[in-house]
Amino acid sequence: EVQLVESGGASVQAGGSLRLSCATSGFSFDDYVIGWFRQAPGKGREGLLCIHNGDGTTYYADSVKGRFTISSDSAKKTVYLEMNSLKSEDTAVYYCAAGPNTEVLLTAASPFSGMNHWGKGTLVTVSS
């Protein structure tokens, strides 16, 4: 079965940085798209960025361009989220999700549908 496990969440000061990891198993890694989402207190779940593990194609939401970077390591079957210049509004539970490349179109205006497998999340708290 597809399994996703996030790690790396912590409490940091505004302006700091963190790297989150999404360890995966149970599927053909290079045939899937992995995305990062977050849910802030009192808000809905927001898609941030995603990557096609096979060809490296990426999508970045405007809210994270220039601050967040996604990368993929096929050997480790792990996807990383590097977050820099963190702001208080980045405080949220961060989730990774996966979907087959046949169900996720990275060239779409909003490519965050089709990722039906989810981790349990990791908490990031940014102090203002």
Side-chain angles (χ1 to χ4, degrees):
E1 298 292 333
V2 173
Q3 186 173 18
L4 308 172
V5 181
E6 303 94 337
S7 62
S11 180
V12 300
Q13 296 186 63
S17 62
L18 281 174
R19 188 176 75 162
L20 307 183
S21 298
C22 176
T24 75
S25 62
F27 62 96
S28 180
F29 188 78
D30 289 346
D31 293 331
Y32 273 66
V33 173
I34 306 294
W36 285 96
F37 298 72
R38 68 185 178 189
Q39 187 165 18
K43 299 182 179 180
R45 192 167 296 185
E46 175 189 14
L48 303 176
L49 69 183
C50 48
I51 186 169
H52 187 306
N53 295 328
D55 63 21
T57 302
T58 59
Y59 174 86
Y60 288 75
D62 288 341
S63 62
V64 300
K65 288 180 179 177
R67 298 194 300 123
F68 291 11
T69 303
I70 191 169
S71 61
S72 179
D73 187 333
S74 294
K76 297 181 179 179
K77 297 183 178 181
T78 300
V79 174
Y80 302 96
L81 173 60
E82 180 72 31
M83 303 186 293
N84 299 307
S85 301
L86 285 164
K87 307 172 182 178
S88 60
E89 54 262 43
D90 294 321
T91 295
V93 176
Y94 284 72
Y95 301 86
C96 61
N101 60 354
T102 55
E103 298 179 12
V104 182
L105 182 61
L106 294 184
T107 56
S110 183
F112 295 107
S113 62
M115 302 181 200
N116 296 320
H117 305 282
W118 293 82
K120 296 186 181 299
T122 186
L123 177 63
V124 173
T125 301
V126 183
S127 301
S128 61

